[in-house]
Structures are given as structure tokens and as C-alpha cells.
Amino acid sequence: MGENSDGLAAFEDDILHCSRCGSCRAACPLVRALSRESAGARGKISLLEALLKGELESSSRLGELMAQCLLCGACTSVCPQGVRTDGMILAAREDLSRRGLMPPTLQAFGEAVGENRNISGEDNEGRLIWAQNLEGGLAVAEGTSVEVLHFVGCLGSFFPSSYRVPQALTRILGTAGVTYDLLGGEEWCCGYPLLMIGMVDRARELIEHNVEVVRERGVSSVVMSCPSCYHAWEHLYPQVLGEEVGVEVLHATEFLDSLIEKGRLPLGELPMRVTYHDPCDLGRKGGIIEAPRRILKAIPGLELVEMADHGENSLCCGGGSNLETYDADLMRQVSGKRLEQALDTEAEAIITACTQCERTLTAAARKERARVRVMDITELVWKAVQAAREAEMA
Amino acid sequence: MRADAVGLSEDALEELRELLGEDRVLTSPEELICHSFDATSMEHRPDAVVLARSTDDVVDIVRVAHRERIPVIPRGAGTGLAGGTVPIEGGIVLTLDQMKELLEIDIDNLVAVVQPGVVTEDLQRTVEAKGLFYPPDPSSLTTSTLGGNVAANAGGPRGVKYGVTGDYVLGLEVVLADGRVLRTGGKRIKDVTGYDLTSLFVGSEGTLGVITEITFRLLPLPPARRAVMAVFPRIEEAGQTASRIIARGIIPAAMEIMDKVSVRCVESYLKMGLPVDADAILLIQMDDEEEVAERHMVQVAEICRECGADRVELAHTDLEIDALWVARRSVTAALAAVRPHKIGEDISVPRSQVAPMIVRIGEISRKHDLPIAIFGHAGDGNLHPNVLFDRRAEDEVARAYAAVGDIFQVAIALGGTLSGEHGVGLSKGEYLELGVGPLGVELMRAIKNALDPKGILNPGKIFAEA
């Protein structure tokens, strides 16, 4: 990715190893929804092979097909040869974007994100609006006394329905006595939405800025509740920058898991039956599958029921890779499938660890008028902390 | 048999667009590339890809193609292993994977009625939830479509006890080459009213008609499973074991064999503790009432030992059974580490000839200086010799195909045939006569000519160029 790679050519060996067995068709949420060869990995790989061989020209049609991928990584996890389709598609998008061949809606979205430094289009200085009504306000620490820097992410910062997530995390940090800092308007979009469109140069501006301000604050750990921010910081920043970020990057579930393990977070009883939706960037692509489950199992009275596809084999909610911006109907078909799996468990709540998954599944549940709540794990943990307090006071 | 094609005219395309809508007649180079291949390394672009959503759509498409003499290549999920859906003469790839409705599960008659695009595993899961069983289990079952399974008469490990796809087809709806719709068979088990036309279309590889609906026979789901894995120092002992188990009256639900090349490949890939000095491994699965499955497991283990197995493992629970299957299921992935490409054949020999066949393939491997891994279904004599090569090395490609030819010759000499599961397709046409004899080929050609005189249905398949 970026200056330090040779783009699609770096994936020649992966392309060579695709035996066209078609296993990826079964795993791909878009093939399941559309029954189209071009929607899945095998079809896309055949196109990129033809492109590399000079048997196919770059075109806006190719851009549309490459945009039609959630980057959920399900194809790679079932591939007998381990072909890295998601990386290949990112490389192809980068090339197509340079040629102006990615879909105009996505290009325009990318330009706006670069311009506004966030995905919402609002003034980036408003990144801490969610904290306005927080009881006791924010208690940010400074300098070396800071245990973690809380990188909020665009959804938690700007989407009112997602404010609950940074609010819950802030309250939890306060309860556990964790000293934290926030970047406010100095936090810019993590760059992942741009990397996913192939706009690596625009993304680099954001990435370099974020890394610079975090380094300036002198913190050793950054915690984030958005798995996409996490995936970008942990896996893509080093590729784009050509060097390690130099701070510990933690997803909120890892951090909460360690707080619970150290006994810093007393959890009260929550008698409810829940299922857990693994965000693709966190579970399959980040390998963080057990930490959220340990958290759920640590909550007394809570029953966890797994969906048919979970963990490494989790099904994408449809909210990945800007598909919402590019093809909302298709996204809804995919999220409908995931909702069906969740409803099959007869859980009263779907717990996830991603603001985007939460939004997508909430919309799907509303559309189907399903009697199920969708909640971020951070909110659930805060409820358990409150339950512990109430029990103590009673 | 070459289609007497005049090519796909712009007028014909326009007519198809009017009949089906713009979005279902695809001619962009991207869509043509995506429908130019199956699961082999063969490829050829079609002139158009047309998406069918109903039998009426298929009729419309075939009528235009028939009038205009345009090749029509029916395609499900494109997981075939013989080039059967590669549009070698161009024409229209007719995709059926959007016809994926499970129309009926009739518990009283133990049948399921499905559209051709239903994925094999989806049918299995649905009927198993009702305590029923659809046994055919091609290894691509998570992806493959039932229409494709019927057209290829696909089989799998469970063939030894339960037979292949064709053994479960009770009836079909087929669109003929001129667009007429034929219905054969139905929900009845017995039917000898005239020729068995249902069977004629099973395994016809899209050359006689387009299958648009299938009625399958189902079974009750066996309640218990057990498995045995046995390691043999000599391949002959594994072959003897397979025969002796059947001779003692036990028909396992699956009896899989891995030769030494496969075992070594899997071990170096997974490091799961497989004995790399083994000459062969047998994996034998039973399914039945619990006490029967348990008793058979113990008997099978004894037979393995008396035939010379030096390591025998028993699996009682689903978890243990799945663990035993890991090695067998990982063979394909493991082979990729040796060479990036392979020709996976599927010769079928009498059960007693499994060991001699494996020994002879070892000689062929040495002769052509290419690794050949062998695994497959020892229980029914259907073996998958996989010739491993690198298509970037031209001499390896030539040697690989020469090795395949030799394998076919030996299979025939041992009383076997060219294909147990994959079909003839594009890859075995030139060997058809070797497999079925000149009269067999003549009769097959006569049937083809009677049903598709213009030769528009999947041209170039089964029969080599005259």
C-alpha cells in the first residue's frame, strides 16, 4: 500500500494460487445476496489476473465491481490456498482511484472526508459534543500521567445515536480509575474510509497527522472502540508510513478485558440472553475473538448464545467498506441475513463491539420490526458496572 | 461436436434484452471473464452471459439460441472439475444460480423439490433440521448447485454406502434444445412407464437439455456416527482392509484413503503428527443406530489390525470424528505448497484394484518426474490422483497431461473407467472411446443428435472433435 509497495503486482503469487475451486462463493455475503460470480472473490481475482496479463483494461465498470466488496475477509478465511483477496482489492482500488475510475459517489465521499477530516461533514472541532452532558464532565489527564489516549472515531464523535459508546467508555475509565486523554478537534478521521476507496495519498495526510499528535502527547497506549480505526492503526498505518507507529494500539474490548481481569471493574448482575456479533475488522481480521467473549462471560447472570456463523466464520453485517455509501440496498440485504441469524438464537440483545455494526444491525432490526436490542459491548459493560454499584448500595 | 454456430448477432442480443431486461443480458468484458472458467485451469470467454430466474426465462433464451444456432452453456456455481461449463466455442453462458428456491419438502413422500440453483449444502441443512437426509456429498457442496450436481451426476465420500446424486433423482423438468419443456418422473418411487428419461439427463453435462427443476428422494437421518482411522505400512494392506470390511457385511458411510504423498503433504502443511513413514491411511466412517455404529466401529478396527495396520484410532463423538477428518479435508490445500497447480482426476476401478492402481500411479509419477498425490474413496474404488505441476513451466504442463493419459490407460486395463464423479467435460473427450468403446460413443452421439440436432447445447463437451 502506498509508496512502499508495488500495488497489484505484489499479489501475483496469490492470483497464481487461486485454483478457482469456488469455496469463496459460499463464504461471501455478497455472492449469497446476489448470486453473481463478479460479486465474489473468485470472479474478482479472475478480473485482476486478466488486468495484470493485459487482457482487460481498467475501466469505471471494473471500478464499480471492485467497489462491490465488503473487505470482510470471509473469502480468505475459507480459501484452501489462503489467497489474500482483501489486500488485492485494496491494491486494485488504489490503482483505479489514481486513474479516477472508482465510482464518483465514493470519490466524492473520499474528497469530503479528506477535506472535513471526518466522515460526517461537520466541523471537526465538534468532536467532543458527546461529552457535553456527561455527568461530572471530562477528566482528562496530561503528560506522563496518562494511562491511555481515547481515540473516539468519527461515528462516536459525530453520530448522535453512537454518542453512547464514547460516553460509556469514558464513564468506565473513570470508574476504574484509569487516567485518560482525548484529542478533540486534533483527532482526524483514521483514514481507513479513504484507504478503502484507494485514496492512499489523501489518507496519508490524515494518518501522518494522527500519528504526529499522538506522539506529541507522549502517551504509550491508544484505545479505540471502533474496529476499523483499530484495524487501520494496528495493521495499515505501518504499511502506509513504512514504519511502526510506536504506541500500543488497543481495541476497547482488549482494554476492558484486562481491566476486568485485574479486578479494576466490578460487574453486577445482568440477567439477559445475548448473542455476540463479531465485527470483521476485530474478529476475523484482528484475531480478537476471545476478549469480548471473556467480558460477556464475566458478567453475572448473562447468557451468551452463539449465532450459526461466529468467531472466525462470522458473517459481515453489511456495514463494511463504504458499501452503505455506494449501494445501500445491497448493504440492507446483507444486514438482513445477519439479523436472521441473530434472531434464530432467540437472544434479547445483539451485542457487538463496533459502532458501524451497531448502526447497521439496528437499522435492520427496525426495518424488520424485530424485538431485539442492539448494543455496543461498552454500553453493556457500563450497565453491568451500574448494576454492581446499585447492588452495593442496596 | 461443434455447434453449427453463426455467432451471436446484435439483433439476437437485443431480442434477449427485450425478453429478460437489460440487466440480465451481460456482455461487458468483465462479466465475460467471470464466466469463462470452472474449477479447472481451462478458460474461454463466452459472447454473452444471460441470467435466468425461471423456467420461462430458460425457454425464451433457448428458443432464441436454437433459432440463431448460438451455443448455450448452462452453468450453476462453476465448481466443475472437467471444464464442463467452460464456453469453449463462445455463445451464451446461461446462469442458473439465481433460480435458488427450495420449492417443497414433502415429508409424507420423503421428497424435496428444488430449483437448480439451490446450493447442495443448503438442501442438506434444511432437510437435516427436519430429521431427513440428502446423502450425496461432493467436496464442493458448500458452493455447488444441485442442478450442476445432477448434470454431472456428482458423488462424494458417502457414495460407498449411499450412491451418487443420480440415485436420488426421481424426476426432472428439462428445457430441451428447441425450447420445449419436458417433465420426467415425479414423486413416485416406482416408474417403468417407458424409457427412463430421468436417468438420460442425469450426468448429461448440459449437452441434452437445461435442468430447471429437480425432485429428489430423501432418507431418514441416521442417528449416530462413529469413525476409525488406520495407518498402514504397506498400501496393499489398506486395499485388503477395504475389501475385507465390505466382505464381512459392513458397508461404511465413507471409506477414504490417502497415499503416502498425500500424508506427507498434509503433515508438512499442518504438523498434526501424521506418520510420514506410512504408506497409506484409511479413514472409515459408520452411520447407523447407535449400537450398530458402535459395534461396526469395533469390528472395523479389528479388521484394520488383522490386515496389518500399525496404528488405529477410534472416534466416538462428533468432535473426535471431525478431528479425524481434518487430514483428509486438508489434502487439497496441502498440495498447493508442493506445486501451485494440479490436474485432479477421478478414475474409478473395482474396489479390489485400488492398491494395484495406486502402485501403478507411483510408477507413472516416477516416469514423468512429477509428484502425484492420490486420495479418494477406497470404499467404491473412485480415486483422485492429483498430478502436481507449475503452469509457468511449459515442460511440466506437457508432462502432467502425458501422466494423465497414462493413468487413464492403466485404469482401463485394471477394469476401471475414466471418471467416477467429475464427468468427461472438456478434459476427457479424447479418451471417451477408451472408456466406453466405439459402439458406446456411437450410441451417445446418436442420442445427442436426436435431442440436439443443431448441436447448440454445451458444444465441445463429452465428445472430442470428430
Side-chain angles (χ1 to χ4, degrees), chain B residues 31 63 104 131 144 148 169 184 203 224 230 236 442 454:
Chain B
E31 293 294 345
R63 273 191 186 146
E104 188 187 0
S144 66
V169 181
T184 73
E236 292 80 0
E442 193 185 318
K454 290 187 179 177

Side-chain angles (χ1 to χ4, degrees), chain A residues 259-327:
Chain A
L259 288 180
I260 293 166
E261 199 205 335
K262 288 173 189 153
R264 290 175 72 178
L265 212 54
L267 302 174
E269 194 163 331
L270 291 181
M272 58 197 291
R273 180 183 169 95
V274 305
T275 190
Y276 175 71
H277 167 77
D278 292 89
C280 303
D281 282 328
L282 190 67
R284 185 164 38 240
K285 293 168 80 173
I288 301 178
I289 289 169
E290 289 311 316
R293 288 176 169 78
R294 274 196 299 272
I295 295 170
L296 295 174
K297 284 170 188 165
I299 299 174
L302 189 120
E303 183 194 359
L304 170 66
V305 210
E306 296 286 5
M307 285 183 253
D309 295 320
H310 61 272
E312 175 85 1
N313 301 317
S314 179
L315 189 62
C316 180
C317 69
S321 189
N322 304 318
L323 189 69
E324 185 181 4
T325 308
Y326 175 57
D327 190 343

Side-chain angles (χ1 to χ4, degrees), chain A residues 20 25 35 37 42 55 81, chain B residues 43 45 77-78 97 100 336:
Chain A
R20 294 178 171 169
R25 281 179 58 113
S35 295
E37 191 72 54
R42 180 174 65 167
E55 293 166 2
Q81 322 289 4
Chain B
E43 56 185 34
R45 288 189 204 184
D97 53 353
K100 54 179 176 182

Side-chain angles (χ1 to χ4, degrees), chain A residues 140-169:
Chain A
V140 292
E142 277 178 32
T144 50
S145 65
V146 175
E147 205 170 328
V148 290
L149 187 126
H150 176 186
F151 191 89
V152 179
C154 293
L155 282 177
S157 301
F158 292 106
F159 287 61
S161 60
S162 301
Y163 288 170
R164 295 190 303 264
V165 177
Q167 285 170 347
L169 186 58

Side-chain angles (χ1 to χ4, degrees), chain A residues 223-245:
Chain A
V223 66
M224 45 200 83
S225 38
C226 171
S228 297
C229 295
Y230 168 79
H231 178 73
W233 273 85
E234 180 74 358
H235 301 290
L236 303 179
Y237 277 24
Q239 288 180 42
V240 173
L241 298 173
E243 62 177 26
E244 290 303 317
V245 173

Side-chain angles (χ1 to χ4, degrees), chain B residues 49 66 183 300 302 343 448:
Chain B
V49 177
H66 185 255
R183 292 194 74 96
V300 162
E302 275 169 23
I343 306 174
K448 169 73 177 170

Side-chain angles (χ1 to χ4, degrees), chain B residues 34 43 53 66 76 95 101 107 127 139 143 173 192 203 213 258 272 335 341 362 375 388 412 436 451:
Chain B
C34 283
E43 56 185 34
R53 292 199 185 132
H66 185 255
T95 71
E101 206 174 326
I107 296 179
V127 302
S139 66
T143 312
E173 180 186 80
V192 290
E213 189 188 294
M258 289 167 62
M272 59 188 291
L335 299 184
H341 305 109
F375 54 93
L388 310 181
I412 298 290
V436 302
L451 280 160

